[in-house]
Amino acid sequence: MQHIALVTLVVRDYDEAVAFYTGALGFDLAEDSDRGDGSRWVVVRPPGSADGTGLLLARAKDDEQLARVGGQTGGRVGFFLHTDDFARDHARMTAAGVRFLEEPRHEPYGSVAVFEDLYGNRWDLLQPA
């Protein structure tokens, strides 16, 4: 059986990224290991998904990578955060300063709203129907 374990997200700074994903989004810090060369292996996951897909927060190493921070998906929604309680998570995230780009919508497939992370990457907060 195969599954996607990690998706790399290029970030400006490890600590600001960890603070956003664990604080504003409520993710768990699964790993933060020094690699010995100034880089770190930093993995965050939504709470309760210890075996699910995680984000590998990779600090940009050069100008080319830095230019891609926040634009890895060309302005499209590139990440989908499923929830079992849309209203709860929307309210908590809003209170934590997460910037939603639209009001919540209730579609045949579920409740959804697009938000941006601290770098401008677009996400769907989605409670499937």
Side-chain angles (χ1 to χ4, degrees):
M1 184 173 127
Q2 296 179 337
H3 72 278
I4 296 174
L6 297 171
V7 174
T8 299
L9 187 64
V10 181
V11 301
R12 274 192 311 254
D13 178 82
Y14 294 118
D15 293 330
E16 73 179 6
V18 168
F20 177 82
Y21 285 99
T22 61
L25 297 190
F27 284 16
D28 294 329
L29 180 60
E31 185 172 354
D32 188 350
S33 302
D34 188 331
R35 305 277 313 251
D37 61 357
S39 66
R40 291 158 46 187
W41 186 263
V42 180
V43 177
V44 294
R45 288 191 172 89
S49 64
D51 295 330
T53 303
L55 290 178
L56 174 64
L57 304 178
R59 186 184 67 207
K61 291 184 177 184
D62 56 32
D63 288 341
E64 182 179 352
Q65 290 180 11
L66 193 58
R68 298 192 187 276
V69 171
Q72 295 180 168
T73 61
R76 294 185 58 114
V77 171
F79 306 95
F80 301 82
L81 180 59
H82 282 200
T83 178
D84 62 352
D85 189 334
F86 181 89
R88 174 200 65 212
D89 289 342
H90 183 268
R92 184 189 55 73
M93 291 166 65
T94 299
V98 174
R99 182 172 172 250
F100 280 87
L101 302 179
E102 63 183 14
E103 293 299 315
R105 294 180 283 124
H106 305 287
E107 304 288 350
Y109 58 84
S111 297
V112 63
V114 177
F115 69 92
E116 287 184 339
D117 67 15
L118 77 161
Y119 300 113
N121 294 301
R122 291 182 177 202
W123 292 67
D124 269 358
L125 176 64
L126 174 65
Q127 181 178 356

